[in-house]
């Protein structure tokens, strides 16, 4: 049976969840350059579909013992979480084809603001969770300003910290819907993780995301592919490490992390992407981007270190109804 951990045990689990989620976000940021290069050999939505398909197969093989006796709640929860995940990825990729990578990156970063805003809606919050406190909201705003500085080009006015919001196009709108999809994914995991073993949730969300991607890819894209070693390596790495492993960890970690804190940790992805570019491609981080990275770290610190009303996590709100043994 699943036992409720003591206060000390829960603190240790929460610390482990923070570390593991940071590791996941590091993988997402570090693989950005690799995946971007691989997209020269394949259409974007087809890459997503192949990545998710391989990840589903891997997860189904690894957790096949846990898939026996799936409940109706597990199927529905997996479908909802998978739909949100597919929404985020498909809108992000479709938007990226119509806008610049920098604008796509910082518009996707709206997730850190959307999660606290959407958490104000009672039925979107996790079980027993409160409306995010002032430190979480302030940290989200600070981190988003950091994302703008880190990922967006300066305006043509010449001011170092200004941003040119002109020429908003369809790709930008799609990128905003991408942020909404990823925000809903974080919140959906917060609601479903107390009721479904993380092994089942990992398989079902990726499996349903693959199904939804297969449907949308056929409608939104004229797919093409050119098989190369670079593409094969990118698909395998993205499927196994950045999808199967990463979303299994997130499915477990969000039991011990409030949704707003998860959203803040996700803002580290562009920071890790910049760090990887610096180490591998010797890309320099200018004053503007450095200020953005510092603000992101400051936003996370503000939300994590300033005491506020206790925010129950998914694990505290509702105990697991099924054993993980």
């Amino acid at each position: 049976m699943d036992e409720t951990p003591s206060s000390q045990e829960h603190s240790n689990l929460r610390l482990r969840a923070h570390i593991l989620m940071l590791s996941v976000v590091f993988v997402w940021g570090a693989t950005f350059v690799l995946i971007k290069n691989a997209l020269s050999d394949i259409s974007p939505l087809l890459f997503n579909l192949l990545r998710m398909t391989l990840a589903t197969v891997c997860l189904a093989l690894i957790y096949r013992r846990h898939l026996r006796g799936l409940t109706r709640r597990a199927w529905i929860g997996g479908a909802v979480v998978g739909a949100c995940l597919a929404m985020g990825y498909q809108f992000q990729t479709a938007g990226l084809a119509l806008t610049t990578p920098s604008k796509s990156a910082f518009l996707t970063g709206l997730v850190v603001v959307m999660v606290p805003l959407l958490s104000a809606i009672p039925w979107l919050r996790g079980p027993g969770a409160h409306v995010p406190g002032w430190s979480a909201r302030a940290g989200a705003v600070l981190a988003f300003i950091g994302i703008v500085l880190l990922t967006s080009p300066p305006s043509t006015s010449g001011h170092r910290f200004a941003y040119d919001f002109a020429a908003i196009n369809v790709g930008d709108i799609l990128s905003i819907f991408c942020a909404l999809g990823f925000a809903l994914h974080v919140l959906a995991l917060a609601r479903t993780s107390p009721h479904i073993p993380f092994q089942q949730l990992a398989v079902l969300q990726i499996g349903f995301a693959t199904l939804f991607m297969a449907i949308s890819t056929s409608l939104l894209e004229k797919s093409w592919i050119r098989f190369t070693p670079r593409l094969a390596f990118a698909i395998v790495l993205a499927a196994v490490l950045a999808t199967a492993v990463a979303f299994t960890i997130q499915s477990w970690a969000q039991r011990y992390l409030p949704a707003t804190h998860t959203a803040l940790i996700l803002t580290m992805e562009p920071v890790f992407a910049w760090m990887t570019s610096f180490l591998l491609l010797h890309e320099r981080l200018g004053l503007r981007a450095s200020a953005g990275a510092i603000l992101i770290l400051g936003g996370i610190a503000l939300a994590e270190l300033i005491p506020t009303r206790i925010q129950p996590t998914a694990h505290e709100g509702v105990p697991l109804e099924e054993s993980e043994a």
Side-chain angles (χ1 to χ4, degrees):
M1 295 179 60
D2 183 62
E3 298 180 358
T4 302
S6 66
S7 177
Q8 181 60 42
E9 290 173 334
H10 187 273
S11 296
N12 293 337
L13 287 169
R14 186 164 176 169
L15 175 61
R16 188 184 305 171
H18 277 91
I19 294 172
L20 288 174
M21 273 306 301
L22 275 173
S23 300
V24 165
V25 175
F26 172 77
V27 169
W28 287 337
T31 55
F32 179 81
V33 174
L34 176 70
I35 294 174
K36 181 177 176 62
N37 290 335
L39 290 178
S40 300
D41 303 319
I42 189 173
S43 54
L45 298 191
L46 180 58
F47 179 87
N48 280 347
L49 179 58
L50 294 179
R51 164 189 184 171
M52 288 293 181
T53 301
L54 180 56
T56 300
V57 172
C58 292
L59 286 171
L61 289 174
I62 294 171
Y63 294 128
R64 60 186 180 278
R65 182 171 61 89
H66 298 273
L67 298 180
R68 299 168 186 166
L70 287 170
T71 63
R72 181 172 178 269
R73 168 175 277 175
W75 283 106
I76 294 175
V80 171
V81 176
C84 296
L85 184 61
M87 174 183 174
Y89 271 117
Q90 296 297 73
F91 274 119
Q92 182 182 54
T93 307
L96 187 57
L98 299 172
T99 189
T100 63
S102 56
K103 289 175 78 175
S104 172
F106 101 77
L107 287 171
T108 301
L110 278 170
V111 65
V112 74
V113 178
M114 287 184 176
V115 168
L117 290 176
L118 293 172
S119 294
I121 303 173
W123 62 271
L124 285 180
R125 290 199 298 270
H130 303 304
V131 175
W134 72 267
S135 60
R137 295 194 298 269
V141 172
L142 200 62
F144 179 67
I145 294 173
I147 285 178
V148 173
L149 293 176
L150 180 63
T151 63
S152 61
S155 80
T156 53
S157 66
H159 193 282
R160 180 174 290 169
F161 291 98
Y163 178 75
D164 188 0
F165 285 94
I168 294 177
N169 59 30
V170 175
D172 300 331
I173 304 300
L174 293 175
S175 297
I176 292 173
F177 278 104
C178 149
L180 177 61
F182 285 134
L184 291 173
H185 176 253
V186 170
L187 292 169
L189 272 180
R191 288 196 64 86
T192 56
S193 59
H195 305 288
I196 307 171
F198 75 89
Q199 300 94 336
Q200 294 183 2
L201 188 55
V203 177
L204 290 173
Q205 69 167 311
I206 300 302
F208 275 108
T210 302
L211 174 62
F212 295 134
M213 285 181 174
I215 296 171
S216 58
T217 296
S218 63
L219 298 174
L220 299 175
E221 179 182 83
K222 186 176 181 180
S223 300
W224 61 272
I225 186 172
R226 181 175 62 251
F227 288 102
T228 63
R230 172 178 64 181
L231 174 61
F233 180 71
I235 289 176
V236 171
L237 187 67
V240 176
L241 192 59
T243 303
V245 174
F247 286 107
T248 298
I249 290 174
Q250 187 178 1
S251 298
W252 174 83
Q254 277 206 235
R255 299 184 195 177
Y256 306 101
L257 298 176
T260 49
H261 290 213
T262 302
L264 277 168
I265 292 173
L266 294 179
T267 63
M268 287 295 293
E269 182 176 355
V271 178
F272 289 136
W274 271 101
M275 290 171 59
T276 305
S277 296
F278 173 76
L279 293 174
L280 299 181
L281 305 178
H282 306 292
E283 184 175 345
R284 295 181 63 85
L285 196 65
L287 178 61
R288 174 190 174 92
S290 298
I294 292 172
L295 285 176
I296 290 174
L297 294 172
I300 294 174
L302 182 63
E304 295 288 348
L305 301 180
I306 300 297
T308 183
R309 181 171 61 163
I310 295 176
Q311 175 85 335
T313 62
H315 185 86
E316 296 169 301
V318 177
L320 273 172
E321 297 176 353
E322 299 184 38
S323 171
E324 297 175 23

